Amino acid sequence: MRIDLHVHSSMSDGTDRPDELPGRARSAGLDVLALTDHDTYEGWPSATAAAAEAGVVVVPGVEISTRLFGGGVHLLGYLPDPTHAPLADELARVRDSRARRLTEMTRLLTEAGMPLDVSDVLSAAGHASTLGRPHVADAMVAKGYIGDRAEAFAHWLYEGGPAYVPRYALATPEAIRLVRAAGGVSVLAHPWGRGSRRVLDAQAIAGLVTAGLTGIEVDHEDHTADDRAALREIASSFELVVTGSSDHHGTGKAGHPLGVNTTEPAEYERLLERGRQAAAAAGREFPRLGVA
Ligand code: AMP
Ligand code: ZN
Ligand code: FE
Ligand code: FE
């Protein structure tokens, strides 16, 4: 059984529609994929509707933009109740802040000699529910200012870069508590990837375990072999579930094809078991996921 627990669709900054992803996952030899768009549940219905025909299980998830000690931390929430208002409201707040910063970002780019309107970014974003820097990059590519997303990030959009504008993010422990209150489980996404490495040492992870963290994403392309070995040690010391995933963004991010990293079936079972416990504690029926 091959399991990929971190995949983006065009509802955030991926390029594959959510209804296309199950078929693509099947073609990539996957049995289970988790749809984890940034800060939105919007892709869940169409992805789960396409899952049965493709013969794959879709685990509904979300990659939440959080902040810890001033650093950006991405938190994967699996199986939260989408009708749980406190979490849904926080996600909406993040999405609003993402949309509002586009005015300032396009102004900075325009002043830098690359005229761009918010409407250009919205056209590039299509039907996305969550707007991100990758959509600004796509608008810059469409105008012919740069060649691809990576170039836009390298020169203009990186954190602290000339066209970077910060946005709202909730505190990581608060996000973990909200996911739990919504009957779901939390896994730290690429803890030692860009951005979060600085703030997520073993001591910080210990604090998040206290807040209710269930697992860490160890096998991710942002992690070296040494990173993975050290993160496995940390996971083992806190009895955290160890996951592996692609963080696929379609053609939007090179080097992250579906299934490039996968989660061990035994770890997936542990994650689901913790999910059942969380759902029971929240007084919620555990969602039916189908059989892989
Ligand atoms: P934002 O969500 O607006 O903070 O933008 C961050 C998103 O941009 C993340 O989902 C990354 O996957 C994506 N990203 C970061 N760096 C790059 C890059 N060099 N090329 C393509 N996408 C990137
Ligand atoms: Zn992304
Ligand atoms: Fe991420
Ligand atoms: Fe991601």
Side-chain angles (χ1 to χ4, degrees), residues 116-233:
L116 210 61
D117 282 334
V118 172
S119 63
D120 298 319
V121 179
L122 297 181
S123 305
H127 59 204
S129 145
T130 301
L131 301 165
R133 285 176 281 166
H135 300 121
V136 177
D138 291 346
M140 294 168 76
V141 172
K143 292 271 186 193
Y145 300 147
I146 42 131
D148 60 15
R149 283 184 180 183
E151 201 183 327
F153 271 90
H155 297 289
W156 301 99
L157 305 177
Y158 61 90
E159 192 163 340
Y164 178 77
V165 175
R167 56 165 160 68
Y168 172 73
L170 57 160
T172 314
E174 175 65 5
I176 291 171
R177 280 190 282 271
L178 284 174
V179 168
R180 184 154 284 260
V185 288
S186 303
V187 171
L188 275 180
H190 46 72
W192 289 355
R194 259 183 326 263
S196 53
R197 180 183 206 105
R198 185 173 58 76
V199 292
L200 285 175
D201 57 12
Q203 197 185 343
I205 292 174
L208 299 179
V209 172
T210 306
L213 184 72
T214 293
I216 54 179
E217 187 177 65
V218 171
D219 290 304
H220 184 284
E221 288 303 282
D222 285 359
H223 295 154
T224 65
D226 285 350
D227 291 342
R228 297 179 192 206
L231 284 167
R232 268 197 175 76
E233 286 288 314

Side-chain angles (χ1 to χ4, degrees), residues 15-33:
T15 58
D16 300 323
R17 290 195 321 270
D19 60 292
E20 288 177 330
L21 278 170
R24 289 189 188 270
R26 173 48 78 197
S27 302
L30 291 168
D31 303 287
V32 179
L33 98 138

Side-chain angles (χ1 to χ4, degrees), residues 6 8 12-14 36 38 63 74 98 134 149 247-249 253:
H6 182 166
H8 295 270
S12 65
D13 55 5
T36 54
H38 298 281
E63 184 173 17
H74 286 180
R98 285 169 161 284
R149 283 184 180 183
D247 202 357
H248 178 71
H249 282 72
K253 205 172 172 187

